[in-house]
Amino acid sequence: MSGLEERVGGREWRADVLVIGGGPAGTWAAISAAAQGARVVLADKGYCGASGATAPSGTAVWYVEPDAQKREDAKASRYARGGYLAENDWMDRVLEQTWSNMQTLAEWGYPFPLDSDGQQQRISLQGPEYMRLMRKRVKQAGVRILDQSPALQLLTDSEGRVSGASGFSRQKNHEWKVEAAAVIIATGGCAFLSRALGCNVLTGDGHLMAAEVGADFSGMEFSNAYGLCPAFSSVTKSALYKWAVFYHADGRVMEGAGSAQGRGVIAKALQTEAVYARLDKADATVQAQMRLAQPNFFLSFDRLGIDPFQQLFPVTLRLEGTVRGTGGLRIVDEQCATSVPGLYAAGDAATRELICGAFTGGGSHNAAWALSSGFWAGAGAAQFAQANRLAAAPIYAPRAGRACSMLEV
Ligand SMILES: Cc1cc2nc3c(=O)[nH]c(=O)nc-3n(C[C@H](O)[C@H](O)[C@H](O)COP(=O)(O)OP(=O)(O)OC[C@H]3O[C@@H](n4cnc5c(N)ncnc54)[C@H](O)[C@@H]3O)c2cc1C
């Protein structure tokens, strides 16, 4: 395919694939589409590589080596908790694609830590290093990145196919428009006003735009995930509370309270009283490992001079909506097409029921889904674009909400 066509300098382009959102899902999608020969534009609301749920944090990844028993165990681990709603074939696909993409990351130079035998540990990714590398690879793939450029409205052609989007460049203070034969929604989950780390940009824009063109959703009843968090911080890393004991304000242990089991007890108590925690169960070795594994968890403690292993600290629950809940755009084929022609979905914007059922995707599955679904959506959108070239000028999709309000001022 020929190079990207710039129609109005720095404001309008004609491409094959437009990716909306530049987190893990969007960057994998852009690279994958470009690898198929597509001309690709990626628009991000913030700065691609520093925006969204992964970039400021770190994610454990559902990475399981291709050993039949280990893969069966991995699939079984959440199957019952997800109400038996996950699909075996999709879990197999995601495990295999994740294994392959993590291998690719290693080849690109991602600094996986080594274990005592000198083997790379590929079970987690540090957000800043991961997303810096992904941005670099997106640029090397020839993708045009529009930073600080929220998409606000999809475009459709006369047959109802999605054929681009328009938005606003926040730094240049003008509208932009990309006409493209296929669009990938990779705008993350919706955790509106949650104050959880990285969720400030995750306000459901992609969901709204997709709804405006009639896309189906699935699993939205599994969207009310809440993350445990120090009351003075935005870091909703729940894993460390495995070593916590929870307390009432007067120092009595809160019976039944816990992170994995017993979060409901905390939620109920928070209606009427403050809840405190202390990481009592972590010995010196675990304490050191915690600091290495999750350095940003400790930042706010260190700033306030609180030792979470010795002192009680107040906790709260922050809404993480569909960032850790599993609902999102319904996927209709193996390439992550949605129910609307020309529209694809990847990452937290898409439903993760296929691999999580009704249970949360947080803690490993979501990260694996983002890089797998992004990879498939990119290839699928590029192939769709090759088969369905843009013809007449697209039209704006009907407005169902106010995501386009900036265009109206
Ligand atoms: C604190 C925290 C810890 C987590 N830990 C884990 C973990 O250990 N394991 C795990 O599997 N998952 C974890 N998750 C979930 C994981 O981070 C997400 O599943 C993952 O980031 C999804 O990738 P994504 O690309 O779909 O979305 P995101 O990474 O959220 O990226 C979405 C991107 O879309 C952009 N965007 C939004 N709206 C627009 C718009 N209108 N126009 C253009 N761009 C837009 C945003 O700026 C952002 O760059 C965690 C989440 C949080 C909040």
Side-chain angles (χ1 to χ4, degrees), residues 19-27 42-62 78 123-125 130-131 146 148-153 176 185-189 191 194 196-206 209 234-239 294 296 320 322-324 346-350 352 361-371 373 403:
V19 181
I20 304 179
T27 49
L42 183 155
D44 198 288
K45 187 178 193 170
Y47 181 81
C48 168
S51 191
T54 289
S57 186
T59 52
V61 181
W62 204 33
R78 292 192 186 192
I123 53 169
S124 66
L125 292 163
Y130 176 29
M131 293 313 301
L146 308 180
Q148 311 294 347
S149 298
L152 300 174
Q153 190 171 16
W176 59 262
I185 299 278
T187 47
S194 82
L197 185 65
C199 294
N200 56 324
V201 287
L202 305 179
T203 48
D205 313 3
M209 289 185 276
S234 62
V235 182
T236 50
K237 295 303 285 187
S238 302
Q294 300 291 344
N296 60 2
E320 293 186 318
T322 57
V323 175
R324 291 213 219 220
D348 286 357
R352 281 133 289 151
S364 66
H365 287 49
N366 276 350
W369 172 255
L371 53 78
S373 61

Side-chain angles (χ1 to χ4, degrees), residues 287-308:
Q287 290 180 21
Q289 286 168 348
M290 281 179 168
R291 278 197 174 268
L292 269 181
Q294 300 291 344
N296 60 2
F297 175 84
F298 293 95
L299 278 177
S300 49
F301 287 96
D302 293 344
R303 283 189 194 128
L304 292 170
I306 297 172
D307 179 350

Side-chain angles (χ1 to χ4, degrees), residues 252-268:
R252 280 178 301 124
V253 170
M254 188 170 282
E255 297 299 338
S259 175
Q261 305 278 330
R263 214 178 279 193
V265 174
I266 296 171
K268 201 168 173 193

Side-chain angles (χ1 to χ4, degrees), residues 271-295:
Q271 307 279 335
T272 54
E273 62 174 308
V275 177
Y276 293 82
R278 190 170 55 205
L279 303 176
D280 291 343
K281 299 179 194 165
D283 62 21
T285 310
V286 172
Q287 290 180 21
Q289 286 168 348
M290 281 179 168
R291 278 197 174 268
L292 269 181
Q294 300 291 344

